Amino acid sequence: MTSVINVNLPEQSYEIAIAPSSLDQLGQHMANLKLGKKVLLVSNPTIFKHYGERAITSLRDATRTLSSANASLTSAGFEVASCTLPPGERYKTLNSIQKLYDIALENRLERSSTMVALGGGVIGDMTGFAAATWLRGINVVQVPTTLLAMVDSAIGGKTGVNHPHGKNLIGAFHQPRLVLIDPDVLKTLPMREFRAGMAEVIKYGVIWDAELFAQLEASKRLDQLRYLKPELINNILMRSCQAKADVVSKDEKEGGLRAILNYGHTIGHAVESLTGYRLVNHGEAVAIGMVAAGQIAVDLGLWQKKDTERQNALIQKTGLPTQLPAGVDIEEIIQALQLDKKVKAGKVRFVLPTEIGVVTVTDEVPSDIIRQVLRGM
Protein backbone atom coordinates (compact mmCIF):
# COMPACT_ATOMS: atom_id res chain seq x y z
CA MET A 1 0.00 0.00 0.00
CA THR A 2 1.35 3.41 -0.99
CA SER A 3 1.16 6.33 1.43
CA VAL A 4 1.07 9.71 -0.28
CA ILE A 5 2.03 13.08 1.19
CA ASN A 6 1.36 16.19 -0.86
CA VAL A 7 3.73 19.14 -1.11
CA ASN A 8 1.37 21.95 -2.06
CA LEU A 9 3.07 24.81 -3.89
CA PRO A 10 1.74 27.68 -6.03
CA GLU A 11 3.54 26.70 -9.23
CA GLN A 12 4.36 22.99 -9.01
CA SER A 13 2.88 20.74 -6.35
CA TYR A 14 4.06 17.16 -6.16
CA GLU A 15 3.70 13.92 -4.22
CA ILE A 16 5.93 12.07 -1.82
CA ALA A 17 5.02 8.41 -2.36
CA ILE A 18 6.12 5.93 0.32
CA ALA A 19 5.72 2.19 -0.22
CA PRO A 20 7.74 -1.03 0.11
CA SER A 21 9.09 -2.31 -3.24
CA SER A 22 8.06 0.96 -4.91
CA LEU A 23 11.41 1.12 -6.72
CA ASP A 24 9.98 -1.43 -9.16
CA GLN A 25 7.09 0.96 -9.84
CA LEU A 26 9.31 3.97 -10.57
CA GLY A 27 8.66 3.85 -14.31
CA GLN A 28 4.90 3.72 -13.95
CA HIS A 29 4.88 6.54 -11.40
CA MET A 30 6.85 8.69 -13.84
CA ALA A 31 4.72 7.61 -16.81
CA ASN A 32 1.66 8.88 -14.96
CA LEU A 33 3.28 12.33 -14.85
CA LYS A 34 3.44 12.41 -18.68
CA LEU A 35 7.12 13.31 -18.78
CA GLY A 36 9.26 13.33 -21.92
CA LYS A 37 10.78 10.11 -23.23
CA LYS A 38 14.44 10.69 -22.29
CA VAL A 39 15.72 9.99 -18.78
CA LEU A 40 19.18 10.34 -17.24
CA LEU A 41 19.56 8.17 -14.13
CA VAL A 42 22.24 9.50 -11.75
CA SER A 43 23.68 7.41 -8.92
CA ASN A 44 26.94 6.38 -7.28
CA PRO A 45 28.66 3.05 -8.01
CA THR A 46 27.58 1.35 -4.76
CA ILE A 47 23.92 2.31 -5.04
CA PHE A 48 23.87 1.57 -8.76
CA LYS A 49 25.22 -1.92 -8.09
CA HIS A 50 22.36 -2.58 -5.65
CA TYR A 51 19.47 -0.86 -7.40
CA GLY A 52 20.47 0.65 -10.75
CA GLU A 53 19.30 -2.16 -13.01
CA ARG A 54 15.99 -2.47 -11.17
CA ALA A 55 15.34 1.23 -11.69
CA ILE A 56 16.35 1.11 -15.36
CA THR A 57 14.18 -1.95 -16.02
CA SER A 58 11.21 -0.25 -14.40
CA LEU A 59 11.73 2.87 -16.52
CA ARG A 60 12.12 0.95 -19.78
CA ASP A 61 9.10 -1.28 -19.10
CA ALA A 62 6.70 1.52 -18.18
CA THR A 63 3.64 2.12 -20.30
CA ARG A 64 3.42 5.76 -21.27
CA THR A 65 0.27 7.49 -22.49
CA LEU A 66 0.75 10.11 -25.18
CA SER A 67 -1.87 12.68 -26.04
CA SER A 68 -2.52 13.49 -29.69
CA ALA A 69 -5.03 15.75 -31.39
CA ASN A 70 -7.54 12.93 -31.82
CA ALA A 71 -6.77 10.26 -29.24
CA SER A 72 -4.51 8.92 -26.53
CA LEU A 73 -1.76 6.60 -27.69
CA THR A 74 0.35 4.20 -25.66
CA SER A 75 4.09 4.09 -26.10
CA ALA A 76 6.97 1.97 -24.90
CA GLY A 77 8.79 3.15 -21.80
CA PHE A 78 11.55 5.66 -21.31
CA GLU A 79 14.89 5.88 -23.08
CA VAL A 80 17.38 5.66 -20.23
CA ALA A 81 21.00 6.79 -20.00
CA SER A 82 22.92 6.51 -16.75
CA CYS A 83 25.78 8.23 -14.96
CA THR A 84 27.59 7.32 -11.75
CA LEU A 85 29.45 9.87 -9.65
CA PRO A 86 31.84 9.16 -6.76
CA PRO A 87 30.23 8.97 -3.30
CA GLY A 88 30.93 11.54 -0.63
CA GLU A 89 30.41 15.21 0.17
CA ARG A 90 33.88 16.15 -1.11
CA TYR A 91 32.76 15.24 -4.64
CA LYS A 92 29.75 17.57 -4.50
CA THR A 93 31.46 20.08 -6.77
CA LEU A 94 31.07 21.88 -10.07
CA ASN A 95 33.45 19.33 -11.62
CA SER A 96 30.90 16.59 -10.97
CA ILE A 97 28.14 18.76 -12.41
CA GLN A 98 30.23 19.22 -15.57
CA LYS A 99 30.23 15.44 -16.02
CA LEU A 100 26.42 15.43 -15.79
CA TYR A 101 26.20 18.23 -18.34
CA ASP A 102 28.48 16.28 -20.71
CA ILE A 103 26.30 13.17 -20.52
CA ALA A 104 23.12 15.26 -20.86
CA LEU A 105 24.56 16.77 -24.06
CA GLU A 106 25.73 13.41 -25.38
CA ASN A 107 22.22 11.98 -24.93
CA ARG A 108 20.49 15.12 -26.23
CA LEU A 109 18.36 15.70 -23.14
CA GLU A 110 15.54 18.12 -23.94
CA ARG A 111 13.41 20.42 -21.82
CA SER A 112 10.81 17.66 -21.44
CA SER A 113 13.49 15.19 -20.29
CA THR A 114 14.04 14.08 -16.69
CA MET A 115 17.01 13.50 -14.45
CA VAL A 116 16.41 10.83 -11.80
CA ALA A 117 18.48 10.96 -8.61
CA LEU A 118 18.96 7.45 -7.23
CA GLY A 119 21.03 7.85 -4.08
CA GLY A 120 21.55 9.84 -0.93
CA GLY A 121 21.71 13.55 -0.27
CA VAL A 122 24.86 14.20 -2.30
CA ILE A 123 23.45 12.56 -5.44
CA GLY A 124 20.10 14.26 -4.89
CA ASP A 125 21.61 17.72 -4.46
CA MET A 126 23.86 17.41 -7.51
CA THR A 127 21.21 15.89 -9.77
CA GLY A 128 18.72 18.55 -8.73
CA PHE A 129 21.21 21.33 -9.43
CA ALA A 130 22.14 19.88 -12.83
CA ALA A 131 18.44 19.59 -13.70
CA ALA A 132 17.80 23.17 -12.50
CA THR A 133 20.49 24.54 -14.79
CA TRP A 134 20.44 22.28 -17.86
CA LEU A 135 18.50 24.13 -20.58
CA ARG A 136 17.43 26.55 -17.81
CA GLY A 137 15.55 23.80 -16.04
CA ILE A 138 14.32 20.27 -16.81
CA ASN A 139 12.38 17.73 -14.74
CA VAL A 140 13.95 15.97 -11.77
CA VAL A 141 12.63 12.98 -9.82
CA GLN A 142 14.12 12.10 -6.45
CA VAL A 143 14.48 8.43 -5.45
CA PRO A 144 16.31 8.65 -2.11
CA THR A 145 18.18 5.58 -0.85
CA THR A 146 19.38 6.88 2.54
CA LEU A 147 17.30 7.73 5.58
CA LEU A 148 18.67 11.27 5.59
CA ALA A 149 17.62 11.86 1.99
CA MET A 150 14.22 10.22 2.52
CA VAL A 151 13.23 12.42 5.43
CA ASP A 152 14.97 15.61 4.43
CA SER A 153 17.16 16.45 1.46
CA ALA A 154 15.06 14.83 -1.30
CA ILE A 155 12.07 17.01 -0.33
CA GLY A 156 11.76 20.75 -0.82
CA GLY A 157 13.73 21.55 -3.94
CA LYS A 158 17.00 22.74 -2.40
CA THR A 159 19.80 21.79 -4.78
CA GLY A 160 23.45 22.70 -4.95
CA VAL A 161 27.14 21.99 -4.67
CA ASN A 162 29.86 23.02 -2.27
CA HIS A 163 32.45 25.76 -2.58
CA PRO A 164 35.87 25.03 -1.03
CA HIS A 165 35.07 27.62 1.65
CA GLY A 166 31.51 26.61 2.45
CA LYS A 167 28.76 24.06 2.03
CA ASN A 168 26.01 24.50 -0.57
CA LEU A 169 27.07 28.06 -1.40
CA ILE A 170 26.28 27.37 -5.09
CA GLY A 171 22.73 26.23 -5.75
CA ALA A 172 19.16 26.81 -6.82
CA PHE A 173 15.62 26.03 -5.73
CA HIS A 174 14.25 23.41 -8.14
CA GLN A 175 11.32 21.29 -6.99
CA PRO A 176 11.10 17.63 -8.02
CA ARG A 177 8.16 16.27 -9.97
CA LEU A 178 8.01 13.29 -7.62
CA VAL A 179 9.75 11.90 -4.52
CA LEU A 180 9.55 8.10 -4.44
CA ILE A 181 10.56 6.42 -1.16
CA ASP A 182 11.08 2.65 -0.95
CA PRO A 183 11.80 1.77 2.73
CA ASP A 184 13.17 -1.63 1.66
CA VAL A 185 16.35 -0.05 0.30
CA LEU A 186 17.33 0.95 3.84
CA LYS A 187 18.34 -2.69 4.40
CA THR A 188 21.57 -2.12 2.46
CA LEU A 189 22.34 1.21 4.17
CA PRO A 190 25.55 1.18 6.27
CA MET A 191 24.92 1.68 9.99
CA ARG A 192 26.81 4.96 10.09
CA GLU A 193 24.60 6.37 7.32
CA PHE A 194 21.47 5.17 9.11
CA ARG A 195 22.56 7.02 12.24
CA ALA A 196 23.27 10.12 10.15
CA GLY A 197 19.66 10.09 8.96
CA MET A 198 18.40 9.79 12.51
CA ALA A 199 19.94 13.20 13.24
CA GLU A 200 17.45 14.81 10.85
CA VAL A 201 14.60 12.77 12.38
CA ILE A 202 15.51 14.04 15.87
CA LYS A 203 15.61 17.54 14.38
CA TYR A 204 11.97 17.25 13.29
CA GLY A 205 11.03 16.13 16.79
CA VAL A 206 12.67 19.20 18.32
CA ILE A 207 11.45 21.81 15.84
CA TRP A 208 7.98 20.57 14.89
CA ASP A 209 6.67 17.26 16.24
CA ALA A 210 6.79 16.59 19.98
CA GLU A 211 4.89 13.31 19.48
CA LEU A 212 7.59 12.01 17.14
CA PHE A 213 10.20 13.02 19.74
CA ALA A 214 8.32 11.02 22.40
CA GLN A 215 8.09 7.98 20.10
CA LEU A 216 11.85 8.07 19.63
CA GLU A 217 12.39 8.36 23.37
CA ALA A 218 10.21 5.28 23.93
CA SER A 219 12.37 3.11 21.65
CA LYS A 220 15.09 1.17 23.50
CA ARG A 221 17.66 1.49 20.70
CA LEU A 222 17.92 3.82 17.73
CA ASP A 223 21.47 3.18 16.52
CA GLN A 224 20.70 0.38 14.03
CA LEU A 225 17.78 -0.24 11.69
CA ARG A 226 17.29 -3.81 12.98
CA TYR A 227 16.38 -2.56 16.45
CA LEU A 228 13.53 -0.36 15.21
CA LYS A 229 10.10 -1.89 14.81
CA PRO A 230 8.55 -1.58 11.32
CA GLU A 231 5.77 0.59 12.75
CA LEU A 232 8.35 3.04 14.12
CA ILE A 233 10.22 3.16 10.79
CA ASN A 234 6.93 3.89 9.03
CA ASN A 235 6.10 6.61 11.56
CA ILE A 236 9.58 8.12 11.20
CA LEU A 237 9.19 8.34 7.43
CA MET A 238 5.59 9.54 7.47
CA ARG A 239 5.91 12.13 10.24
CA SER A 240 9.27 13.48 9.09
CA CYS A 241 8.15 13.79 5.46
CA GLN A 242 4.88 15.39 6.57
CA ALA A 243 6.78 17.91 8.70
CA LYS A 244 9.05 18.82 5.79
CA ALA A 245 6.08 19.03 3.40
CA ASP A 246 4.13 21.26 5.82
CA VAL A 247 7.02 23.68 6.23
CA VAL A 248 7.93 23.81 2.52
CA SER A 249 4.27 24.29 1.53
CA LYS A 250 4.11 27.34 3.78
CA ASP A 251 7.51 28.76 2.75
CA GLU A 252 8.97 27.35 -0.46
CA LYS A 253 12.10 29.50 -0.71
CA GLU A 254 13.03 30.13 2.90
CA GLY A 255 11.54 33.57 3.28
CA GLY A 256 10.67 32.88 6.90
CA LEU A 257 9.34 29.67 8.44
CA ARG A 258 11.52 27.32 6.39
CA ALA A 259 14.59 28.61 8.21
CA ILE A 260 13.63 26.39 11.17
CA LEU A 261 14.70 23.37 9.10
CA ASN A 262 18.27 24.57 9.62
CA TYR A 263 18.22 23.62 13.30
CA GLY A 264 21.68 22.27 14.13
CA HIS A 265 22.97 23.11 10.66
CA THR A 266 24.60 26.48 11.37
CA ILE A 267 27.44 25.14 13.48
CA GLY A 268 27.09 21.73 11.81
CA HIS A 269 27.95 23.09 8.36
CA ALA A 270 30.97 24.92 9.79
CA VAL A 271 32.25 21.69 11.36
CA GLU A 272 31.76 19.81 8.08
CA SER A 273 33.60 22.45 6.09
CA LEU A 274 36.51 22.78 8.53
CA THR A 275 37.06 19.02 8.58
CA GLY A 276 37.13 18.82 4.78
CA TYR A 277 33.91 16.77 4.56
CA ARG A 278 35.98 13.71 5.54
CA LEU A 279 36.01 13.40 9.32
CA VAL A 280 32.29 13.74 10.07
CA ASN A 281 29.32 13.18 7.80
CA HIS A 282 26.36 15.52 7.52
CA GLY A 283 24.19 13.83 10.13
CA GLU A 284 27.04 13.69 12.64
CA ALA A 285 27.72 17.39 12.09
CA VAL A 286 24.03 18.22 12.55
CA ALA A 287 23.98 16.25 15.81
CA ILE A 288 26.95 18.28 17.10
CA GLY A 289 25.20 21.45 15.91
CA MET A 290 21.98 20.54 17.74
CA VAL A 291 23.86 19.98 20.99
CA ALA A 292 25.50 23.39 20.59
CA ALA A 293 22.25 25.15 19.64
CA GLY A 294 20.43 23.54 22.56
CA GLN A 295 23.04 24.78 25.04
CA ILE A 296 23.02 28.26 23.47
CA ALA A 297 19.24 28.32 23.99
CA VAL A 298 19.70 27.33 27.64
CA ASP A 299 22.38 29.97 28.19
CA LEU A 300 20.10 32.62 26.66
CA GLY A 301 17.23 31.55 28.94
CA LEU A 302 15.07 30.31 26.05
CA TRP A 303 15.06 26.57 26.84
CA GLN A 304 14.97 24.52 30.01
CA LYS A 305 18.04 22.50 30.94
CA LYS A 306 15.99 19.31 31.31
CA ASP A 307 14.84 19.58 27.70
CA THR A 308 18.35 19.94 26.31
CA GLU A 309 19.31 16.90 28.40
CA ARG A 310 16.42 14.96 26.80
CA GLN A 311 17.62 16.00 23.35
CA ASN A 312 21.23 15.05 24.05
CA ALA A 313 20.22 11.69 25.52
CA LEU A 314 18.29 10.94 22.35
CA ILE A 315 21.28 11.89 20.20
CA GLN A 316 23.52 9.62 22.28
CA LYS A 317 21.00 6.75 22.05
CA THR A 318 21.25 7.07 18.27
CA GLY A 319 25.02 6.65 18.46
CA LEU A 320 25.70 10.16 17.17
CA PRO A 321 28.46 12.44 18.50
CA THR A 322 27.79 15.18 21.03
CA GLN A 323 31.34 16.56 21.17
CA LEU A 324 33.37 18.63 18.72
CA PRO A 325 35.95 16.62 16.76
CA ALA A 326 39.45 16.83 18.22
CA GLY A 327 41.61 19.52 16.67
CA VAL A 328 38.81 21.76 15.39
CA ASP A 329 39.69 25.36 16.20
CA ILE A 330 36.85 27.29 17.86
CA GLU A 331 37.90 30.63 16.35
CA GLU A 332 37.84 29.04 12.90
CA ILE A 333 34.26 27.91 13.58
CA ILE A 334 33.33 31.49 14.54
CA GLN A 335 34.87 32.75 11.30
CA ALA A 336 33.22 30.03 9.21
CA LEU A 337 29.81 31.03 10.57
CA GLN A 338 30.16 34.33 8.69
CA LEU A 339 30.15 32.39 5.40
CA ASP A 340 26.90 30.62 6.25
CA LYS A 341 24.10 31.16 3.72
CA LYS A 342 21.79 32.30 6.50
CA VAL A 343 23.91 35.32 7.48
CA LYS A 344 21.90 38.51 7.07
CA ALA A 345 23.41 41.99 7.37
CA GLY A 346 26.52 40.37 8.83
CA LYS A 347 24.58 38.64 11.63
CA VAL A 348 24.45 34.86 11.99
CA ARG A 349 20.92 33.50 12.36
CA PHE A 350 20.42 30.62 14.78
CA VAL A 351 17.43 28.32 15.13
CA LEU A 352 16.96 27.82 18.89
CA PRO A 353 14.40 25.67 20.71
CA THR A 354 12.01 27.07 23.30
CA GLU A 355 10.29 23.75 24.05
CA ILE A 356 10.20 20.29 22.47
CA GLY A 357 8.41 20.84 19.17
CA VAL A 358 8.82 24.63 19.08
CA VAL A 359 11.76 26.80 17.97
CA THR A 360 12.52 30.43 17.26
CA VAL A 361 14.95 32.09 14.83
CA THR A 362 17.23 34.83 16.12
CA ASP A 363 20.33 36.75 15.07
CA GLU A 364 20.92 38.04 18.60
CA VAL A 365 23.43 35.44 19.76
CA PRO A 366 26.63 37.04 21.13
CA SER A 367 29.89 35.54 19.90
CA ASP A 368 31.01 35.11 23.52
CA ILE A 369 28.07 32.77 24.15
CA ILE A 370 28.95 30.72 21.06
CA ARG A 371 32.59 30.48 22.19
CA GLN A 372 31.58 29.50 25.71
CA VAL A 373 29.33 26.72 24.47
CA LEU A 374 31.88 25.37 21.98
CA ARG A 375 34.61 25.34 24.64
CA GLY A 376 32.32 23.17 26.75
CA MET A 377 32.09 20.62 23.94
Side-chain angles (χ1 to χ4, degrees):
M1 181 177 176
T2 302
S3 300
V4 175
I5 294 169
N6 292 303
V7 182
N8 298 309
L9 299 171
E11 292 186 14
Q12 182 177 292
S13 297
Y14 55 94
E15 293 182 346
I16 306 165
I18 307 171
S21 300
S22 56
L23 182 61
D24 297 313
Q25 303 301 316
L26 170 62
Q28 205 52 56
H29 277 282
M30 287 178 55
N32 294 341
L33 295 174
K34 296 181 171 54
L35 305 174
K37 191 174 182 65
K38 294 184 178 183
V39 169
L40 174 58
L41 180 76
V42 185
S43 192
N44 70 44
T46 302
I47 296 301
F48 190 87
K49 182 178 178 181
H50 285 304
Y51 304 113
E53 290 304 324
R54 278 178 61 188
I56 289 171
T57 298
S58 176
L59 288 163
R60 287 177 175 163
D61 290 350
T63 301
R64 299 166 63 246
T65 302
L66 308 176
S67 298
S68 69
N70 302 314
S72 292
L73 308 172
T74 58
S75 169
F78 296 95
E79 292 178 6
V80 187
S82 64
C83 172
T84 58
L85 298 172
E89 192 78 30
R90 64 185 180 275
Y91 294 107
K92 202 169 87 171
T93 65
L94 289 173
N95 285 338
S96 295
I97 297 299
Q98 182 64 51
K99 182 177 179 181
L100 285 182
Y101 291 154
D102 291 344
I103 295 175
L105 181 63
E106 181 183 327
N107 289 276
R108 300 291 188 267
L109 261 61
E110 304 163 352
R111 283 190 170 168
S112 63
S113 302
T114 306
M115 292 188 186
V116 175
L118 177 68
V122 170
I123 289 296
D125 281 2
M126 288 196 292
T127 306
F129 182 66
T133 49
W134 183 252
L135 302 180
R136 297 192 176 94
I138 66 171
N139 302 309
V140 65
V141 167
Q142 296 281 354
V143 186
T145 60
T146 66
L147 180 60
L148 192 151
M150 289 178 182
V151 301
D152 191 71
S153 61
I155 305 162
K158 275 189 176 180
T159 75
V161 295
N162 300 329
H163 185 278
H165 294 293
K167 180 164 175 164
N168 293 334
L169 293 179
I170 306 161
F173 285 97
H174 190 59
Q175 298 293 344
R177 296 297 305 276
L178 168 72
V179 179
L180 185 68
I181 296 174
D182 185 344
D184 290 346
V185 305
L186 291 174
K187 294 172 184 175
T188 56
L189 187 65
M191 284 189 291
R192 186 181 181 190
E193 292 300 322
F194 175 77
R195 293 193 291 267
M198 287 301 299
E200 296 286 357
V201 176
I202 293 170
K203 176 192 81 175
Y204 287 118
V206 175
I207 70 169
W208 194 258
D209 191 339
E211 185 174 335
L212 173 61
F213 191 95
Q215 289 176 357
L216 297 173
E217 284 187 307
S219 182
K220 288 184 178 180
R221 291 188 66 170
L222 293 169
D223 56 323
Q224 295 181 39
L225 177 66
R226 63 195 176 110
Y227 294 121
L228 276 67
K229 295 179 180 178
E231 311 91 78
L232 180 56
I233 288 293
N234 185 62
N235 276 345
I236 282 172
L237 293 174
M238 290 291 295
R239 298 186 79 97
S240 298
C241 290
Q242 187 66 64
K244 183 75 178 269
D246 287 346
V247 172
V248 171
S249 294
K250 291 180 173 69
D251 179 15
E252 181 181 359
K253 295 187 177 178
E254 205 169 299
L257 177 66
R258 186 166 176 168
I260 71 171
L261 297 173
N262 293 310
Y263 179 59
H265 288 58
T266 305
I267 287 173
H269 280 170
V271 171
E272 277 187 280
S273 178
L274 290 172
T275 55
Y277 306 108
R278 293 172 185 267
L279 189 60
V280 295
N281 63 31
H282 179 65
E284 291 163 351
V286 168
I288 292 166
M290 288 192 291
V291 172
Q295 188 58 49
I296 289 170
V298 171
D299 289 355
L300 291 176
L302 297 173
W303 209 24
Q304 295 186 37
K305 189 171 186 291
K306 66 179 179 65
D307 285 334
T308 195
E309 289 172 349
R310 287 175 65 194
Q311 171 195 258
N312 296 352
L314 200 52
I315 291 170
Q316 289 174 326
K317 184 161 65 170
T318 311
L320 289 161
T322 57
Q323 302 288 320
L324 284 173
V328 175
D329 186 89
I330 289 173
E331 289 307 313
E332 287 186 355
I333 293 178
I334 301 293
Q335 292 172 19
L337 293 178
Q338 290 297 323
L339 294 174
D340 191 90
K341 300 185 302 301
K342 298 171 287 297
V343 169
K344 189 173 183 180
K347 291 187 174 183
V348 181
R349 286 190 295 165
F350 277 88
V351 181
L352 300 177
T354 56
E355 59 184 274
I356 300 294
V358 182
V359 290
T360 188
V361 181
T362 179
D363 59 8
E364 299 297 329
V365 180
S367 295
D368 288 347
I369 293 284
I370 302 172
R371 286 188 181 90
Q372 175 182 306
V373 167
L374 294 176
R375 284 175 186 146
M377 295 177 63

